[in-house]
Amino acid sequence: MRARNKRDSADFGLSFLDCICCGFGAIVLLFVITMGSANQMIQSLRDRLQEVTQQRLSRLEQLDAQEVEISRRAEIAEDKAEQAERRNTQLRSMVDELALQLAQLEAGQEAKMVELEKEKTEIASMQKELEVEMNLPDINLPVGLPVESNYIAFVFDTSGSMRDTATENLHAAAVEKIRNVLDSYPEIKGVQFLDADGRFMLPGTPGIWLTDDPATREGALRVLASYAYFSNSNPVPGIFRAIRSLYQPDNEDMRMAVFVFGDEFTGKAEPVLQRLEQINPRKEDGRRHVSINAVGFPTVLGYPLLGSHTGMKYANLMREVAFRHDGAFIAVRNER
């Protein structure tokens, strides 16, 4: 009885162990079966994760590129802002400078107006004296000219005011006055012609005296009548050139005279007078090396606001030059 009970207990224990092993085997089998599907799921998840990661990396690269582009545009915008600021500074500086220039011009204009009023007053005060001096008797030959000269140089103003507006040739009356002066010297050793700028008017004759004869005189007068070069309204350069180029200090027989024909002077008289004292001093006998004479034409005196003061400047200058340099000043009547 006892032996059977012991056997029954052993059988029960083996059965239970079998059940447990079978159950465990079933669990293992189930785990093995489920592991295949889990691996597939894990691989799918891994692939999906790699795809998402690749998308995120691609997006990150795009964001980096956008950041670089934004930085570049920001630098460009900053450069443009700096350029705009510099231009703005330059414009402000230019505006300030223009404002200063405008103020200076306005001040200069006021000064010019004051100077113009002074010149008008001077014109009004000098007009009566000038009219008396310019209206000399109607004569053909100049009066008071030194007749002992044997070399004569003519300096002629060839500016627009000394020309006929229709032909642009020199006024016939002015050329005729040169003829009158030449007729006053029937026998001289040399003659020459310069314009107010110091150009020798006859081609191929700079710095040399022309032998005086009727053919030379007539040819010179024809050239002068149609002389094409316009000079400034300032005879001073021509006077200086004539003295420096033509006077011969070693020629003891030379008694040179300069005749100036013009109507205007735009400079200042005092420097001219000082310079003439240097280049045309007095000799031991008290006379000048070169006598300077002048003929004044009233071409601008009829226009008080358009240049009559330059006409008076010419008359006053040449009157003083002629007085100091052993010459004569002749004013021509308005013959037009």
Side-chain angles (χ1 to χ4, degrees), residues 30-45:
L30 287 175
F31 181 75
V32 171
I33 292 173
T34 56
M35 279 296 293
S37 61
N39 288 336
Q40 293 178 355
M41 184 180 296
I42 291 172
Q43 184 64 35
S44 176
L45 291 174

Side-chain angles (χ1 to χ4, degrees), residues 114-181:
V114 173
E115 183 179 353
L116 180 60
E117 291 298 327
K118 290 182 179 179
E119 288 185 353
K120 289 181 180 179
T121 303
E122 181 182 356
I123 290 171
S125 63
M126 297 178 64
Q127 188 69 32
K128 183 176 180 181
E129 177 185 356
L130 183 64
E131 289 176 353
V132 172
E133 187 167 346
M134 296 299 285
N135 291 327
L136 295 179
D138 189 8
I139 53 178
N140 290 327
L141 297 180
V143 176
L145 298 180
V147 296
E148 72 276 5
S149 302
N150 55 6
Y151 289 86
I152 299 178
F154 292 90
V155 176
F156 206 97
D157 181 349
T158 60
S159 62
S161 60
M162 291 290 290
R163 294 175 179 268
D164 189 324
T165 56
T167 63
E168 291 193 350
N169 291 333
L170 297 177
H171 284 301
V175 177
E176 186 62 26
K177 293 304 176 183
I178 296 180
R179 183 189 298 275
N180 293 340
V181 173

